[in-house]
Amino acid sequence: MLSRRDFATVASCALCSLSGFIATDASAQTPPPATNGTPGVKRKILSQTDGPTPGYTTLVVDIEIEPGVFIGRHTHPGIESAYMLEGGFDLPIEGQPTRTFKPGDGVVIPPNTPHAGGKNGDKKSHIVSTYIVEKGKPLASPA
């Protein structure tokens, strides 16, 4: 069994991210489309598998956010781990001070914790995220 720290390390190394999953109707059982109708946000599911335990699914998602696009406040029904490849933005996570999420940074967002993203400036943001979420629930919900 993994300790919390080991799990966070594995999840972060699995490359996870903040999200182009802005309040979509996509469920954890049905992968979201490459775009979700939000102008300036593109996502591509790199892998999806059942587990790590029954009732959960794991998705690894490549996300690109065009300059100036704001990611609205939302939650996920499971853990989100993200790694910023390029670009960056302010990352407000409820219960934590807002941080600047920049290339080379990783973040783990606890289940059902409201978060958003903004002020991504004049560069495209490129993130890889891993979501370990409950099956049958919307992958993202407005918060």
Side-chain angles (χ1 to χ4, degrees), residues 35-104:
T35 63
N36 66 351
T38 302
V41 178
K42 293 188 225 174
R43 355 177 252 274
K44 178 181 177 185
I45 295 176
L46 303 175
S47 72
Q48 179 175 354
T49 187
D50 286 341
T53 61
Y56 284 81
T57 190
T58 300
L59 298 117
V60 177
V61 181
D62 182 78
I63 302 164
E64 292 184 2
I65 305 167
E66 293 300 321
V69 173
F70 177 77
I71 304 300
R73 188 172 147 97
H74 63 282
T75 63
H76 304 284
I79 194 167
E80 175 184 8
S81 299
Y83 180 78
M84 180 69 72
L85 297 168
E86 67 178 298
F89 47 80
D90 289 343
L91 178 58
I93 301 172
E94 188 169 282
Q96 301 178 24
T98 297
R99 63 184 274 196
T100 300
F101 191 41
K102 61 188 184 315

Side-chain angles (χ1 to χ4, degrees), residues 17-28 36 43 59 71-81 91-95 109-117 130-134 137-143:
S17 175
L18 170 69
S19 92
F21 289 112
I22 314 161
T24 69
D25 291 329
S27 76
N36 66 351
R43 355 177 252 274
L59 298 117
I71 304 300
R73 188 172 147 97
H74 63 282
T75 63
H76 304 284
I79 194 167
E80 175 184 8
S81 299
L91 178 58
I93 301 172
E94 188 169 282
I109 301 171
N112 303 306
T113 302
H115 57 287
T130 298
Y131 300 87
I132 301 173
V133 293
E134 293 179 63
K137 291 193 175 181
L139 187 55
S141 299

Side-chain angles (χ1 to χ4, degrees), residues 1-9:
M1 186 143 213
L2 294 174
S3 70
R4 278 187 185 183
R5 182 179 179 154
D6 291 338
F7 179 80
T9 300

